[in-house]
């Protein structure tokens, strides 16, 4: 497993991390024992970075990680959580008072005095330009409630505004073979500023695994059923905002390219390795619903891809994905 420095946190983390949205039950039900087994498997495979949020299962994901940390006090894992979506997405709700309440709740859920990294959870665009918001975050660092802070964003312009902030440690953004736009401006700006990049939705909600077809049915409480058109939250979080039928067809072509590039690896492993190979990425955070998925994802941290594979990904994106995604963003 490769390790990278997570931006201005200065922490060394595994290049493949673990996203724990699944453990909050927004991808179908996951039993507590199964969730803890996922955390065990990921860590055993070299993962040292867990990403969660206070709204994943209304705190369930944080609490499960907290229980795991108590059982593994010397694990050396960096935990990042997110805050900001417990209230309506209005600028005024991003206040020092609410930050204090939210971070205290996350500290209790995680069972820690200091949160390693807290990220604003895709706030309204206007928040990124508000000095008072970042002054409040600085105050949480000063009083020892958090070690560092970053932002999770939906848009490239939001990422660039955040990167320009002197104390923003990291930016989390959607990046995968179906979402290449961050490569053009965000990653170069982050590298220059020393800001870490956390790549989320790296498998396009599973599309890039190549396992889904037009007939695949997802559970009713799985966001891949109820948020395909942005009914519950930003549509980019589900299949990277790509129309499902378009995505299934493009994923079949990606699988063919992956088999040519790495005959002994799965399409999912190749997809993760490609994201991890992008210059400036600190950690990639695929989710996992079972230990087998966690171990398979972690294996991408040691996979080297041939030089021409990136060009093939770009050609696939330009031909089948670009027009649709850029029309939405």
């Amino acid at each position: 497993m490769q390790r990278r420095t997570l931006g201005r946190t200065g922490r060394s983390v595994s290049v493949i991390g673990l996203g724990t949205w699944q453990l909050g039950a927004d991808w179908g039900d996951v039993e507590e024992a199964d969730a803890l087994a996922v955390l065990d498997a990921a860590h055993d495979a070299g993962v040292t970075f867990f990403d969660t949020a206070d709204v994943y299962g209304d705190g369930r994901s944080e609490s499960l990680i907290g229980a795991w940390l108590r059982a593994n006090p010397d694990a050396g894992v960096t935990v990042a959580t997110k805050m900001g979506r417990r209230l309506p997405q209005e600028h005024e709700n991003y206040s020092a008072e609410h930050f204090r309440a939210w971070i205290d709740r996350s500290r209790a859920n995680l069972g820690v005095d200091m949160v390693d990294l807290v990220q604003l959870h895709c706030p309204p665009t206007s928040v990124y330009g508000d000095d008072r918001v970042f002054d409040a975050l600085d105050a949480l660092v000063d009083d020892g409630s958090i070690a560092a802070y970053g932002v999770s964003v939906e848009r490239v312009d939001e990422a660039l505004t955040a990167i320009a902030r002197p104390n923003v440690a990291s930016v989390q953004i959607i990046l995968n073979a179906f979402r290449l736009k961050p490569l053009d401006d965000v990653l170069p700006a982050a590298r220059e500023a020393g800001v870490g990049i956390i790549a989320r939705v790296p498998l396009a909600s599973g599309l890039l695994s190549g396992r889904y077809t037009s007939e695949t049915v997802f559970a009713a409480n799985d966001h891949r059923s109820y948020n395909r058109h942005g009914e519950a939250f930003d549509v980019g979080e589900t299949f990277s905002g790509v129309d499902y039928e378009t995505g299934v067809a493009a994923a079949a072509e990606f699988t063919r390219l992956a088999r040519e590039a790495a005959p002994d690896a799965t399409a999912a492993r190749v997809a993760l390795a490609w994201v991890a190979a992008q210059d400036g990425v600190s950690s990639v955070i695929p989710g996992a619903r079972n230990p087998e998925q966690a171990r398979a994802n972690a294996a991408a941290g040691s996979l080297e891809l041939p030089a021409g594979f990136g060009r093939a990904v770009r050609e696939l994106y330009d031909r089948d994905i670009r027009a649709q995604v850029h029309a939405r963003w």
Side-chain angles (χ1 to χ4, degrees):
M1 175 69 73
Q2 301 174 47
R3 296 177 71 88
R4 309 258 174 91
T5 299
L6 182 56
R8 292 169 176 159
T9 71
R11 292 170 176 261
S12 176
V13 298
S14 55
V15 70
I16 303 297
L18 178 70
T20 62
W21 188 6
Q22 282 89 338
L23 307 190
D26 290 313
W27 297 65
D29 295 331
V30 178
E31 297 297 326
E32 179 175 344
D34 294 334
L36 295 174
V38 166
L39 297 173
D40 280 336
H43 186 257
D44 289 346
V47 171
T48 62
F49 181 59
F50 295 164
D51 178 85
T52 186
D54 60 1
V55 292
Y56 293 169
D58 194 27
R60 182 176 190 262
S61 177
E62 285 183 333
S63 295
L64 287 166
I65 291 173
W68 188 89
L69 291 173
R70 288 190 293 276
N72 299 273
D74 300 319
V77 168
T78 294
V79 178
T81 191
K82 295 183 283 292
M83 66 179 183
R85 304 193 74 83
R86 303 195 63 77
L87 290 174
Q89 288 303 284
E90 299 169 359
H91 187 141
E92 57 268 26
N93 285 332
Y94 284 78
S95 66
E97 179 183 4
H98 289 149
F99 287 176
R100 168 53 58 197
W102 294 335
I103 204 65
D104 285 350
R105 183 178 185 271
S106 290
R107 290 195 299 163
N109 286 342
L110 292 167
V112 299
D113 294 327
M114 177 187 288
V115 175
D116 297 332
L117 175 68
V118 68
Q119 304 156 93
L120 298 185
H121 200 169
C122 301
T125 301
S126 58
V127 167
Y128 297 95
D130 189 342
D131 290 343
R132 292 173 299 177
V133 168
F134 293 90
D135 289 344
L137 291 168
D138 287 333
L140 292 175
V141 173
D142 292 341
D143 72 17
S145 297
I146 62 176
Y149 63 82
V151 296
S152 183
V153 306
E154 299 287 3
R155 298 161 53 97
V156 163
D157 58 337
E158 294 169 346
L160 295 173
T161 301
I163 288 168
R165 291 266 173 191
N167 295 327
V168 166
S170 62
V171 167
Q172 184 176 139
I173 194 166
I174 298 172
L175 177 60
N176 58 56
F178 290 171
R179 181 71 73 88
L180 303 190
K181 199 170 182 180
L183 300 182
D184 298 334
D185 297 309
V186 175
L187 266 61
R191 290 196 304 269
E192 184 174 350
V195 170
I197 291 291
I198 302 167
R200 74 175 185 277
V201 199
L203 295 177
S205 305
L207 271 179
L208 287 163
S209 70
R211 296 188 295 112
Y212 302 145
T213 70
S214 299
E215 288 72 42
T216 300
V217 176
F218 300 95
N221 61 344
D222 188 320
H223 73 100
R224 292 171 293 183
S225 289
Y226 65 76
N227 193 59
R228 289 194 182 188
H229 305 288
E231 296 92 334
F233 41 80
D234 191 277
V235 69
E237 305 294 341
T238 303
F239 302 127
S240 293
V242 177
D243 171 75
Y244 183 69
E245 297 296 331
T246 300
V248 167
E253 175 63 11
F254 179 87
T255 297
R256 185 188 68 78
L257 295 172
R259 286 173 178 160
E260 291 180 356
D264 297 328
T266 64
R269 185 181 176 195
V270 171
L272 295 174
W274 176 84
V275 179
Q278 304 311 304
D279 190 11
V281 169
S282 304
S283 191
V284 186
I285 51 169
R289 293 191 60 196
N290 57 61
E292 292 73 23
Q293 286 182 355
R295 285 189 285 267
N297 290 342
S302 59
L303 179 63
E304 298 288 339
L305 297 174
F309 183 71
R311 183 170 59 254
V313 168
R314 173 66 75 170
E315 290 172 353
L316 171 62
Y317 175 82
D318 288 343
R319 185 182 68 243
D320 296 345
I321 301 295
R322 174 188 286 275
Q324 184 186 113
V325 171
H326 283 234
R328 287 186 169 181
W329 282 272

